[in-house]
Amino acid sequence: RAEPISDETDAISITELREAAKGCRRCPLWHDATQTVFGEGPDDARVVFVGEQPGEQEDLAGKPFVGPAGKVFNAILDEAGVDRQKIYVTNAVKHFKFEPRGKRRIHSKPNAGEVQACRWWIDREFALIKPELAVALGATAALSLLGKAIPVTKMRGQVIEREDGLRVFITIHPSFILRIHEPADKEAERERFLHDMKQVKRLM
Ligand code: URA
C-alpha cells in the first residue's frame, strides 16, 4: 500500500487521491460542474458501489448519492440490511454533466470517452481499497468496470468476474425506479432492486 500508484499522483490513500481529483482536467466536464464529486466511505470497504455520475444535488454538496436517487438508494440498502457506513460509494464519472435549460440544469448522460477518461480515478480507487465485490449501478457503471456495454436489465443479479479477479454484481441504477410513473410498476421495480440488494448483502 505504500507504493506510489502512478507517476501523476503519489496518492497512497483515498484522502490523497480525493485531493488530487479536485483539480482533474482529464475531460471537459470539469469546466461547467461546481466541483469534483469523489467517492465516499471507508477505505477498507469490502464492497464498492459505482453509480453513473453526480446529479445536481451531488454537484452542489460534493458528495455522491445525496439527492433523490440517493434517498431511494439509502432506503433500499437499509431495508436489505446493508450498512451504508460500511460501503464505499463512488461514480463512474466524477463531474456533473448537464444541459442548461433556463435556470435549471438537466442531467445529461456521460459518453464513452468521458467514462474512459474517468477510469483513471476509479481504477485507483479500486487499487487502494481492494474490495472483494463491486456493484455496478446501471449501464454506465458496468461500462466503466467491465470496459464493454452490458445489457443491464437482462443481466441484473449476475456476477461477472474480471480478469483481475474483481467480482462485479450487475444491477440497475436506482434513478430508474424514480422514472417509473405507474405506481404498481414502480413498486415492482423497487422490489426487484431490493431483491438485488439482499443478494449483494449475502455476497458481502
Ligand atoms: N446518480 C448517480 O449515479 N450518482 C450520484 O452520485 C447521484 C445520482
Side-chain angles (χ1 to χ4, degrees):
R1 279 208 172 193
E3 292 278 314
I5 53 173
S6 92
D7 51 3
E8 290 184 72
T9 170
D10 291 335
I12 55 163
S13 69
I14 288 290
T15 307
E16 287 179 14
L17 196 62
R18 179 181 293 112
E19 206 46 41
K22 285 182 180 167
C24 183
R25 302 283 186 269
R26 289 183 168 267
C27 84
L29 294 182
W30 67 272
H31 192 266
D32 293 333
T34 306
Q35 58 190 319
T36 306
V37 178
F38 208 70
E40 201 178 56
D43 58 11
D44 60 351
R46 297 336 297 145
V47 185
V48 171
F49 285 72
V50 180
E52 182 195 69
Q53 63 164 345
E56 160 104 62
Q57 296 199 28
E58 290 79 14
D59 172 76
L60 298 172
K63 290 169 183 287
F65 284 100
V66 295
K71 292 206 168 71
V72 174
F73 182 50
N74 282 345
I76 296 176
L77 284 182
D78 194 44
E79 261 180 74
V82 177
D83 184 353
R84 186 158 164 181
Q85 304 303 318
K86 293 212 172 106
I87 61 171
Y88 184 89
V89 180
T90 192
N91 283 302
V93 170
K94 290 174 171 53
H95 280 108
F96 179 36
K97 182 179 182 184
F98 60 92
E99 294 288 338
R101 210 166 294 164
K103 281 191 184 154
R104 296 184 60 207
R105 302 187 296 167
I106 308 296
H107 165 277
S108 164
K109 196 172 136 75
N111 64 37
E114 289 149 359
V115 171
Q116 178 57 32
C118 221
R119 280 190 72 170
W120 200 86
W121 295 110
I122 205 158
D123 285 350
R124 280 158 184 76
E125 287 174 287
F126 275 88
L128 286 167
I129 297 169
K130 301 183 179 72
E132 283 152 20
L133 183 71
V135 179
L137 300 167
T140 301
L143 172 66
S144 172
L145 289 166
L146 298 166
K148 60 178 182 194
I150 297 288
V152 162
T153 44
K154 233 191 254 170
M155 295 199 51
R156 71 180 305 167
Q158 294 187 38
V159 176
I160 299 176
E161 193 167 324
R162 287 201 324 199
E163 271 176 21
D164 65 357
L166 179 71
R167 294 178 304 154
V168 180
F169 182 93
I170 307 292
T171 186
I172 55 131
H173 192 285
S175 69
F176 181 57
I177 302 167
L178 292 174
R179 289 198 299 270
I180 302 172
H181 290 296
E182 212 282 308
D185 292 346
K186 198 183 195 80
E187 186 49 34
E189 189 49 52
R190 196 184 186 282
E191 281 302 314
R192 274 197 288 274
F193 189 64
L194 174 60
H195 180 268
D196 285 353
M197 292 305 102
K198 286 181 176 165
Q199 217 178 310
V200 168
K201 167 82 181 171
R202 284 195 290 273
L203 291 168
M204 281 172 79

